[in-house]
Amino acid sequence: MSQYGKLSTEFYDLDKPCPPQGAFRYYLDYAEKAGGPILEPMCGSGRFLIPLMARGIEVVGVDASPDMLSACRRKAELAGVQPALYQQYLHHLKLPDTYPLIIIPAGSFCLLTDPTIIRKSLDHLYTHLASGGLLIIEIEQAVYGTGQSPTEESRWVERSDGIKILMNATTYRNFEENTSHHINHYALIQEEKTLETEWEELDIRYYTIEAFTCLLENAGFTSIHSHSAYDQNEPPMNSESLVFISSKTCSYL
């Protein structure tokens, strides 16, 4: 799977320069109560990590994409913060510490689609969560539907130097398996001349509340509850995004 390369990362940062205000306030509230450094796996280019650090929160970031982490370092330097960043896949996560709070915002966890990788990733999250700590993951909720033809979308963003990045995206949705396959093509364009191109393929898995609760339980998490993002209300059936909060409770013999 090829995803989040150089042009993809640049498009992402220009398209989503800041976290949504409601989402940021939500995670900031939990981070301020955590009482210690927090962990953000799949942190990407730091859309949440950097503004959290700018508010005085110590955040350790992990991501599999070297291009995303490079962008995160550049943005962190401009913001005057110094995050600890690691390039690791989530199912290989190995850090020296445990954390009172682990967050994965914006549905990033749904990029993991292989059942074995999902299970291993949750196991590693459990290992890196401190006793009594909280894991907060946002996921995309499965919806019922029937087979459809591929959908296509084209969008572009413009850099400060006037050069545009065009994205052509094709999405194949599989309702039976609760997945989608995405093929994205990026083109760096200056005065109608293509300077550089990049292809990206990625998959997304969608979850029912019951299915994701079961995965968390099997990994050992307790006190699991979910709500619609980010209003703390019971999730309606048509909520696109759901937030799951669970904890790690250790018992001593």
Side-chain angles (χ1 to χ4, degrees), residues 20-170:
Q21 290 188 2
F24 179 71
R25 288 194 299 269
Y26 178 90
Y27 287 106
L28 176 63
D29 182 56
Y30 277 97
E32 288 178 334
K33 297 174 182 176
I38 72 169
L39 176 64
E40 185 186 355
M42 309 182 84
C43 68
S45 60
R47 185 160 68 121
F48 283 85
L49 182 149
I50 291 172
L52 284 172
M53 292 199 69
R55 297 291 290 268
I57 307 298
E58 186 176 351
V59 187
V60 175
V62 180
D63 202 86
S65 167
D67 290 292
M68 280 286 190
L69 288 176
S70 293
C72 187
R73 291 187 181 96
R74 290 193 298 269
K75 290 160 63 177
E77 184 176 0
L78 290 173
V81 297
Q82 295 181 315
L85 299 175
Y86 297 86
Q87 184 186 343
Q88 295 182 16
Y89 286 97
L90 187 52
H91 60 290
H92 292 153
L93 186 65
K94 188 175 183 181
L95 301 176
D97 300 307
T98 59
Y99 303 87
L101 176 65
I102 300 176
I103 63 171
I104 305 183
S108 297
F109 191 85
C110 292
L111 291 167
L112 308 179
T113 58
D114 181 89
T116 299
I117 289 177
I118 292 168
R119 186 181 68 252
K120 288 183 178 179
S121 297
L122 289 173
D123 288 343
H124 283 298
L125 289 172
Y126 186 85
T127 298
H128 286 81
L129 188 63
S131 178
L134 293 179
L135 170 69
I136 305 179
I137 297 182
E138 181 183 348
I139 60 97
E140 301 299 306
Q141 184 169 208
V143 295
Y144 295 103
T146 57
Q148 297 178 359
S149 300
T151 58
E152 297 185 356
E153 176 189 15
S154 293
R155 289 190 292 128
W156 59 270
V157 294
E158 186 170 346
R159 302 190 329 191
S160 59
D161 58 6
I163 295 177
K164 295 180 175 64
I165 304 175
L166 173 67
M167 180 187 74
N168 291 312
T170 303

Side-chain angles (χ1 to χ4, degrees), residues 157-227:
V157 294
E158 186 170 346
R159 302 190 329 191
S160 59
D161 58 6
I163 295 177
K164 295 180 175 64
I165 304 175
L166 173 67
M167 180 187 74
N168 291 312
T170 303
T171 299
Y172 301 84
R173 185 70 182 262
N174 188 327
F175 288 100
E176 292 182 359
E177 296 186 3
N178 287 327
T179 60
S180 59
H181 181 65
H182 304 254
I183 301 175
N184 303 326
H185 181 254
Y186 299 89
L188 192 67
I189 298 174
Q190 183 179 30
E191 296 178 352
E192 300 185 0
K193 180 180 179 181
T194 300
L195 306 178
E196 187 178 350
T197 64
E198 179 179 287
W199 287 95
E200 170 186 73
E201 288 191 62
L202 56 86
D203 296 308
I204 293 176
R205 179 170 294 281
Y206 306 88
Y207 293 94
T208 64
I209 296 174
E210 295 76 14
F212 200 71
T213 297
C214 184
L215 285 172
L216 291 170
E217 288 175 343
N218 289 340
F221 293 99
T222 58
S223 303
I224 302 165
H225 68 275
S226 62
H227 56 76

Side-chain angles (χ1 to χ4, degrees), residues 229-241:
Y230 292 93
D231 55 15
Q232 302 282 6
N233 292 325
E234 290 296 321
M237 292 298 293
N238 61 349
S239 289
E240 184 173 312
S241 297

